[in-house]
Amino acid sequence: MTIPHRVTGTGDHHVLVLHDWFGTSAGWGPFLDYLDGRAFSYAFLDYRGYGERKDVTGEYTLAEIAADALALADQLCWDRFSLVGHSMGGKAAQQVLAEAPLRVRKLVGLAPVPAGAYPLDEAGEALFYGAAGDREKRYAILDLVTGQRAGRVWLDRMVDQSLRLSNAEAFDGYVRDWTTADLKRRINGNPVPVKVIVGEHDLALTADVMRGTWLEHYPNAELEELGGSGHYPMYEAPVALASSLESFLHN
């Protein structure tokens, strides 16, 4: 199976990039304009049911994302690579690490979901598990994670994009997997260099959450909190995000 993807840059340091629950391989905003294509080659994957693979069926799990990511790395002839994962993609990146630890150079989590189960209370289950078929719930989630600071135009655009570029079955399947899957035993203590980047206005995946999860799991992890950003720094603080990411990957 040939996996459609997007590549930017021609550098020798190869980077696999995994998008969030709402996003696609094309959903990275102005951040892409500030990446160093001479030093890095970035490959952006669409999950099954999303983007260019919207009509590709599957089980819609983190394990499936990881298998497709590794298949894409093989397709690109990338023996070793770094991983960048945003939100749900951050947990999927940890699944890749668990499956192929010797292939991963560095791991970057952008407002990333931790490796353990992500318990939801009754209201949270109603909101997240009901979002596949409910535009207003998608809107409410995006408003929450950006600190209720984003304007309606941007929120509407993000919601409309998620509805247009993903199918409801995939959207529902992934959230039920990333909220319940537990990878802690498989990644705990892994010595890979890790950087976790969060936005100061993210009301869900905060710096404190990262200190209690990612920084406890990985002995070589560091944390940066970006000012002026919530859950979507690729839109909210693109220059700062590109600088933070690549300064870590360069070293």
Side-chain angles (χ1 to χ4, degrees):
M1 176 179 63
T2 300
I3 298 177
H5 60 282
R6 302 170 191 270
V7 174
T8 183
T10 57
D12 293 333
H13 189 146
H14 301 146
V15 187
L16 278 178
V17 186
L18 304 180
H19 63 76
D20 71 308
W21 184 34
F22 279 77
T24 68
S25 66
W28 290 84
F31 157 75
L32 300 184
D33 294 338
Y34 309 111
L35 296 176
D36 182 355
R38 293 174 295 180
F40 302 99
S41 296
Y42 293 92
F44 298 82
L45 171 70
D46 277 321
Y47 308 147
R48 299 184 189 210
Y50 279 66
E52 294 185 15
R53 305 177 77 207
K54 184 178 177 181
D55 296 329
V56 178
T57 58
E59 297 181 358
Y60 311 124
T61 62
L62 300 176
E64 187 174 72
I65 293 172
D68 284 354
L70 289 168
L72 176 58
D74 291 343
Q75 181 179 312
L76 294 169
C77 299
W78 289 2
D79 183 51
R80 296 195 73 224
F81 47 83
S82 291
L83 285 164
V84 175
H86 175 223
S87 194
M88 176 182 83
K91 191 163 184 175
Q94 293 177 91
Q95 180 90 42
V96 176
L97 177 67
E99 300 293 344
L102 298 181
R103 297 185 70 175
V104 180
R105 294 177 61 173
K106 294 187 176 184
L107 171 61
V108 180
L110 308 179
V113 174
Y118 191 83
L120 298 170
D121 59 18
E122 185 176 349
E125 285 192 359
L127 180 62
F128 279 76
Y129 293 168
D134 191 322
R135 187 185 190 284
E136 292 308 311
K137 286 178 175 156
R138 295 195 193 203
Y139 186 103
I141 292 168
L142 288 171
D143 193 30
L144 172 71
V145 299
T146 48
Q148 299 176 327
R149 300 165 58 253
R152 176 168 288 276
V153 170
W154 183 82
L155 291 168
D156 279 338
R157 183 175 298 175
M158 291 291 286
V159 171
D160 290 342
Q161 177 178 281
S162 76
L163 288 165
R164 186 176 69 255
L165 297 179
S166 66
N167 72 57
E169 182 183 2
F171 197 85
D172 182 64
Y174 288 124
V175 68
R176 293 177 187 276
D177 195 58
W178 69 252
T179 55
T180 56
D182 191 343
L183 307 173
K184 292 196 300 292
R185 287 196 302 173
R186 299 189 66 193
I187 57 84
N188 195 46
N190 190 298
V192 67
V194 172
K195 183 165 189 177
V196 182
I197 303 170
V198 297
E200 65 168 330
H201 298 293
D202 191 333
L203 298 180
L205 293 167
T206 64
D208 283 343
V209 170
M210 299 304 129
R211 292 186 186 98
T213 55
W214 280 74
L215 270 64
E216 288 190 357
H217 298 153
Y218 298 102
N220 295 313
E222 60 185 83
L223 172 67
E224 181 174 355
E225 188 175 44
L226 287 184
S229 181
H231 193 68
Y232 284 85
M234 60 285 298
Y235 290 96
E236 299 173 82
V239 176
L241 175 59
S243 176
S244 176
L245 169 68
E246 293 191 332
S247 65
F248 172 71
L249 293 178
H250 268 300
N251 294 330

